């Protein structure tokens, strides 16, 4: 990803307080304080820091040098690659990262090999090619995931899926109609704050009805169930 656009995206997302709290709560409901967690592609540590402050054991991987330094400034144990992470990790989380990687299969294999048997992988990914917009191109997304596509990818790498559902139905609608109406989208913090307060927050409840149908993102919890080494 272009580093300047990377930074702009990370900074803009940080102002969406309601959205961020909602996603963080999804992770809190699926992690345990006994787990040793790795946040892969942690960015500026927005979620990593929230999880750490709740008393969870968490470290981070981040390749962006500016973001990596911010993580270290926040006293978050951080690494520049997954290969440098100790083998004590038994839970890997990753929020909106795999879509930036050309060969996502390679990293699913790395996750598998780094986890112990019964180790957990939690992914939060952009979904639905129907809402592919200029925003995806601006931040160098390689893809938006389909439910069937990510299931196939995980199962082909010997992960067993415990749960998978869509998130942010109202966000999907906004992007869908913005695309149809050819509305110009960007990372304007004022627009993001407006969306977060006046659109996302009042319509969070729609996720309850749409979680098995469609949404802007997918939330996945999977487990490593054998010791087969991926290559």
């Amino acid at each position: 990803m272009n580093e300047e656009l990377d930074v702009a995206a990370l900074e803009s997302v940080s102002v969406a307080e309601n959205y961020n709290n909602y996603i963080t709560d999804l992770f809190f409901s699926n992690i345990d304080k006994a787990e040793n967690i790795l946040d892969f592609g942690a960015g500026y540590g927005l979620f990593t820091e929230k999880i750490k402050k709740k008393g969870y054991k968490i470290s981070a991987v981040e390749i962006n040098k500016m973001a990596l330094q911010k993580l270290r400034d926040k006293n978050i144990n951080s690494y520049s690659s997954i290969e440098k992470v100790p083998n004590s990790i038994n839970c890997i989380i990753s929020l909106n990262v795999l879509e930036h990687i050309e060969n996502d299969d390679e990293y699913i294999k790395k996750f598998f090999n780094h986890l112990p048997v019964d180790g957990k992988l939690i992914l939060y990914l952009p979904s639905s090619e129907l809402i592919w917009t200029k925003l995806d191109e601006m931040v160098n997304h390689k893809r938006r995931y389909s439910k069937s596509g990510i299931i196939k990818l995980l199962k082909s790498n010997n992960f067993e899926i415990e749960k998978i559902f869509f998130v942010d139905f109202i966000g999907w609608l906004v992007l869908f109609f913005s695309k149809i109406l050819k509305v110009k989208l960007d990372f304007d913090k004022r627009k993001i704050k407006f969306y977060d307060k006046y659109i996302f927050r009042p319509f969070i409840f729609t996720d309850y009805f749409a979680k098995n149908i469609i949404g802007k993102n997918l939330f996945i919890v999977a487990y490593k169930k054998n010791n087969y080494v991926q290559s």
Side-chain angles (χ1 to χ4, degrees):
M1 188 191 301
N2 178 286
E3 192 146 318
E4 290 183 2
L5 287 174
D6 193 355
V7 171
L10 289 170
E11 289 182 341
S12 63
V13 169
S14 69
V15 303
E17 184 177 348
N18 295 303
Y19 178 84
N20 290 330
N21 288 338
Y22 181 66
I23 303 310
T24 306
D25 285 345
L26 279 179
F27 278 85
F28 280 139
S29 64
N30 287 279
I31 57 177
D32 190 281
K33 287 191 176 177
E35 293 170 333
N36 195 356
I37 304 165
L38 175 69
D39 186 356
F40 179 81
Y44 282 175
L46 177 68
F47 292 98
T48 324
E49 190 173 30
K50 284 176 179 284
I51 292 169
K52 183 181 178 182
K53 284 181 177 179
K54 289 285 188 178
Y56 292 81
K57 294 178 288 184
I58 189 164
S59 53
V61 166
E62 177 53 54
I63 64 169
N64 182 296
K65 293 179 181 178
M66 189 182 299
L68 181 62
Q69 187 55 54
K70 283 187 175 287
L71 288 166
R72 289 172 176 169
D73 290 343
K74 292 177 178 180
N75 293 317
I76 294 169
N77 193 26
S78 306
Y79 305 89
S80 59
S81 72
I82 194 168
E83 286 78 11
K84 297 179 180 179
V85 178
N87 290 325
S88 55
I89 294 296
N90 59 4
C91 176
I92 296 175
I93 67 173
S94 186
L95 294 80
N96 293 328
V97 176
L98 284 182
E99 66 275 13
H100 296 284
I101 299 173
E102 190 70 52
N103 189 354
D104 53 353
D105 181 74
E106 175 187 350
Y107 277 84
I108 295 295
K109 285 178 169 62
K110 288 184 179 185
F111 296 158
F112 183 92
N113 291 336
H114 211 83
L115 287 168
V117 173
D118 292 328
K120 185 189 298 180
L121 175 63
I122 307 178
L123 300 173
Y124 186 75
L125 302 167
S127 68
S128 181
E129 288 289 343
L130 274 174
I131 55 167
W132 181 274
T133 68
K134 287 289 183 182
L135 287 182
D136 293 287
E137 296 172 15
M138 286 172 65
V139 295
N140 197 28
H141 281 179
K142 307 301 181 186
R143 69 195 71 80
R144 299 187 72 90
Y145 288 87
S146 66
K147 190 174 183 179
S148 61
I150 190 62
I151 289 173
K152 182 179 179 181
L153 178 62
L154 289 169
K155 286 188 173 180
S156 69
N157 284 288
N158 293 294
F159 275 102
E160 183 176 301
I161 297 169
E162 179 186 81
K163 63 179 71 171
I164 179 169
F165 55 86
F166 291 103
V167 178
D168 195 6
F169 172 69
I170 192 64
W172 185 92
L173 280 181
V174 168
L175 286 175
F176 181 72
F177 284 108
S178 295
K179 185 175 181 178
I180 289 175
L181 299 172
K182 298 182 179 180
V183 176
K184 185 178 179 181
L185 300 171
D186 54 33
F187 291 108
D188 187 316
K189 290 183 181 180
R190 291 171 299 176
K191 293 177 184 176
I192 292 172
K193 279 186 176 181
F194 179 88
Y195 167 77
D196 186 59
K197 185 175 182 180
Y198 297 107
I199 300 175
F200 178 78
R201 185 179 180 183
F203 291 97
I204 288 175
F205 73 91
T206 59
D207 272 12
Y208 177 80
F209 304 100
K211 65 180 181 179
N212 293 315
I213 304 169
I214 198 68
K216 184 172 66 65
N217 292 82
L218 277 163
F219 186 85
I220 306 108
V221 179
Y223 286 88
K224 173 177 175 174
K225 286 301 181 182
N226 61 57
N227 255 333
Y228 176 75
V229 176
Q230 301 282 57
S231 61

